[in-house]
Each structure stands twice: as structure tokens, then as C-alpha cells.
Amino acid sequence: MNNSLWTVMSFTMRNKLRSKGFIIMTVVLAALMIVGGNLPYLIDKLSGGGDGEAAKIGYAEASQAQVVEGLKDHYAKLPEPKVELVGMASEEQLKSALENSDLKGYLTFADDAAAGFPKVTYNSKSAFEGGISSSLATALQQVKYDTLLEGAGLDETQKAQLYAPVAFQTQKVSFTDEKGKTEEEQGMAIALTYIMIIMLFMAVMITGQLIATEITAEKSSRVMEIIVTSVSPLKQMWGKILGTFLVAMIQIVVLVGALVANLTLPHNTDILKSFGFDLSSIDPLLLVYAVFFYLAGFFLYATLFAAVGSIVSRTEDLGQAVMPITMLTLVGFYIAMFGLNQPDSTLMVVCQYIPFFSPFLMFLRIGLAEPAWWEIALSIGILIASILAIGWLSAKIYRVGVLMYGKRPSMKEIVKAMKAYKV
């Protein structure tokens, strides 16, 4: 690697890695990733699951003995019952025990002849008792079935068949020789697609802005005039882009590592599998496409931000100058969000060939639909050709832009200046 290019890269990396703002942001984001990685476990704990202690639910001993016995039998059959029924003499005692936190809540019953089963009310200190309320509702439904079926003359085998859930699953149909994706594989593909789109959008919006801001700041402080005497503008541009890219990669490795390390902890993997999430079901080829389209999208937009930053002399004018690039990024992001539900729509099929949108959309279609091999090849070919063409054009703009001061030059002035230089 050329020494001057490496010098610019290392200088850019040192400045960013030593920045207090970068360090603080990375630590904060890593902490959020750790919390996010343990979120399944935290939700399970907060909802009352897995804590080894059943919630004490009271009832008045003189009311609905048959229903209460049915509830006790239901929870007695569970390996880890979340509810323990506690009988008390009256509703006043139940309310007093709830106030003293001796009970999590208590049940009251009212006759309902039309339904053939009493109306049940769960009384607690909070209106949001999702986990316990759901458990009680499921148990009461089971007790109701048992009560109504007692006189139907069904034996235990027939009851077991009646209660058994229907064997049902969702599978993506494949029109090639490959096996269609299962529901779990499709779910993980959706999750990976969503994460990649968010990461690419953030990389373009944050890292691209950093590249443009640094170049404009060097111009406005006249440091650029000193730099160009020892390093060619072309090497400056790619040195800053590659240096910022490596810093972004270090940050992503730290954040993704923190997230994955916590998701793969035993207490999280068991809960994730119960929700149908299994990291091992991710298609390795999909990960390869994710890396490629992330890199392609980053470098496509990074060269544009560098070119725009080079023609702006004041940082105050940078926001307006990069607005068209920002709008392109937003359009691609919002089309991708639309495509999560309709990956085979005409809009998606057309826009997957537009290089500014294809890093978002082609990867999304690979993950969620089944594009033909030639569609993927054509989209990748157009994207690579566009990166080379835009990189060449951005280098020419950067070559003349870094030496143009004063008001932002017009397109006519830039084109005229570009004709005088070769890249």
C-alpha cells in the first residue's frame, strides 16, 4: 500500500478512535446492545416467568368450588406452575392480603347461566398483569372445556384428541431445486434483513456525514492547503474513506460482538428457541450477501459524500449540500421498509437495479423472496459498475473541489475545472 495513502488512513483512524465523542458513543451503544441481547431474559423475568416462585392468587373459599378445584388440578399438572391458589374466608380478607402484598391478586366469580360457566374477574394492584392474566385465562378455558365435556360421554383418548393442537406450519415455496425455507428460517431471514437495512442506513447517514464534515472542516481552516502539498487529493479522499470505514468496522465488531455474545448465553438461547428464533438457522450465503451489499452501499455513498464535502468551503453550508444524497438514502430506506411486506412488488423489482437503492432492495429480495440468478447478477453488475463510475467521478470532483474556495461552485464551474485534470 502506498505510504502516503496509509498515512492519511492512519491519521484519520487515530483522530476518530481517540475522540471522546466516539468512545462515549461506542460505550453507550455497546451497553444498549448488552441490554438488547438480554432483553428476552429480562422480559421473561419481569413477566413472572422462570423465577422459580409461583404468584399467589387468592379466592374466596365459599365460591365456585368446582372451578377452583379445576384450576388447582390444571396447575398441578404443569412442570413449572406460575400460579399458586390460596383460599381465604371472604373478599375483605382477600383485599386486605392484596394491600399487604401477601397476594399478587385474587379471583371473584359471578354467575352466568347463558354461558354455562361463571364470569371470572382477576383483581390486582395493576391493570397490566399480562403474564398472570394470560395464564389464568388459559387455565379457566381448560376448566370450562372439562366441565362442559363431563356429560358428553367422551373417554380420555377422545378428550386428548380434542385438546391436541392442529399440526400447522408455514413454509416458503421454492420454485428452484432448493428446498423451501421453513417458518424459522424465514423468520431469521426477515430479522437479518431488517438488521442489515438499519445498519446500512446508519452507516450511510452517520459515517458519510463524518467524511464530508471532516473534509469541509479542513478546507474551512485552510489545513487542506498544507495537506495537498504532500499528499495528492485522490489519495486524501480514499485515505479518509478507508480510514473512516475501518473505524466504523471496529465499532460494528464491538457492537455486534456484544449483542451476539449475550444472545448466545444459555439463559437467552432457551427463551429465543421457545419464540422460534435460532441463530443456527441463518443461511450462510445470506450472510455473504449481507457483507457484500453493506460494503457496496457504504463505498457508493461514501464517495458521494466525499465529493460533496470537497466543494463546500464552510461547514454551515454542508447540510444543504448533502441534502440530495440524504434524500436518496431515505428513499431507498423507505422503499425497503415497504418491501418487507411485499418483496415481489413491481416497485421492488424495478428499483433493485437502481444502484442507489440496490444495496437495500436486492439484499431484501434475496432474503425474503426468490429472485432469479440473473436478476442478482445483473443488479450486482450494475452496482459494481456504478461504484467504479461514481468513484472515478467523485475523485475528479474532489481533485478540483478541495482547491476551490469562496462560495460553493456551480456545476458549470466544476465541470470546467474537471476538464483541466485527469484522475
Side-chain angles (χ1 to χ4, degrees), residues 15-25:
N15 278 350
K16 286 181 167 51
L17 291 173
R18 292 175 180 176
S19 168
K20 289 183 179 180
F22 175 83
I23 295 173
I24 292 173
M25 182 175 68

Side-chain angles (χ1 to χ4, degrees), residues 110-418:
D111 292 332
D112 187 355
F117 195 80
K119 292 181 179 179
V120 185
T121 303
Y122 175 59
N123 305 272
S124 69
K125 291 182 178 179
S126 172
F128 303 99
E129 293 282 356
I132 295 176
S133 295
S134 298
S135 176
L136 287 169
T138 301
L140 287 165
Q141 191 67 42
Q142 181 69 43
V143 173
K144 180 180 178 181
Y145 287 156
D146 290 339
T147 302
L148 295 177
L149 289 173
E150 278 185 1
L154 299 180
D155 58 29
E156 293 301 321
T157 302
Q158 291 173 319
K159 288 182 179 180
Q161 292 174 344
L162 181 64
Y163 292 144
V166 176
F168 178 80
Q169 65 176 358
T170 302
Q171 178 172 297
K172 178 181 177 296
V173 177
S174 175
F175 298 99
T176 64
D177 293 334
E178 298 179 359
K179 183 181 177 181
K181 293 180 180 178
T182 64
E183 187 175 2
E184 291 76 15
E185 292 171 338
Q186 186 76 352
M188 292 307 301
I190 292 174
L192 179 61
T193 302
Y194 189 80
I195 291 171
M196 187 271 182
I197 291 172
I198 295 293
M199 287 179 60
L200 179 56
F201 177 73
M202 292 179 63
V204 170
M205 295 297 290
I206 298 175
T207 311
Q209 289 277 359
L210 286 175
I211 294 172
T213 302
E214 184 171 341
I215 294 170
T216 303
E218 289 178 355
K219 278 192 66 177
S220 63
S221 64
R222 298 285 180 170
V223 173
M224 187 67 71
E225 296 177 359
I226 301 174
I227 297 177
V228 294
T229 61
S230 55
V231 183
S232 68
L234 181 59
K235 292 175 182 176
Q236 284 182 52
M237 184 185 83
W238 283 107
K240 292 184 182 300
I241 290 174
L242 292 173
T244 306
F245 168 73
L246 291 176
V247 171
M249 287 298 98
I250 292 173
Q251 189 176 52
I252 287 175
V253 168
V254 171
L255 299 181
V256 174
L259 178 62
V260 173
N262 283 274
L263 284 175
T264 52
L265 292 175
H267 62 267
N268 285 323
T269 53
D270 293 339
I271 297 172
L272 287 173
K273 285 181 179 179
S274 69
F275 292 149
F277 289 96
D278 186 3
L279 296 178
S280 63
S281 65
I282 297 177
D283 185 359
L285 184 59
L286 191 60
L287 292 175
V288 174
Y289 280 122
V291 172
F292 170 78
F293 282 108
Y294 178 86
L295 296 177
F298 177 89
F299 284 110
L300 176 73
Y301 280 99
T303 53
L304 289 175
F305 274 105
V308 172
S310 69
I311 64 176
V312 179
S313 299
R314 301 187 309 164
T315 53
E316 294 86 354
D317 300 329
L318 184 61
Q320 183 180 0
V322 299
M323 183 61 69
I325 307 176
T326 303
M327 293 303 297
L328 278 175
T329 310
L330 287 170
V331 171
F333 177 76
Y334 284 122
I335 293 177
M337 291 296 101
F338 163 79
L340 287 172
N341 294 321
Q342 302 186 48
D344 285 319
S345 65
T346 303
L347 176 65
M348 295 290 294
V349 173
V350 172
C351 290
Q352 71 182 358
Y353 301 115
I354 301 175
F356 300 109
F357 305 149
S358 58
F360 297 102
L361 307 185
M362 191 69 250
F363 176 73
L364 184 147
R365 294 204 67 230
I366 292 172
L368 306 186
E370 198 174 81
W373 68 266
W374 63 265
E375 292 183 80
I376 300 174
L378 180 59
S379 179
I380 290 176
I382 294 173
L383 180 57
I384 292 175
S386 300
I387 292 172
L388 295 175
I390 292 173
W392 174 81
L393 181 62
S394 297
K396 295 200 72 172
I397 295 174
Y398 190 96
R399 179 74 171 81
V400 300
V402 292
L403 299 176
M404 299 179 72
Y405 287 88
K407 70 179 183 66
R408 194 170 65 197
S410 64
M411 186 59 65
K412 184 177 180 181
E413 292 171 332
I414 293 174
V415 172
K416 184 177 179 181
M418 285 169 60

Side-chain angles (χ1 to χ4, degrees), residues 35-48:
V35 173
N38 287 281
L39 200 57
Y41 176 73
L42 294 174
I43 291 175
D44 185 64
K45 293 292 287 184
L46 292 174
S47 63

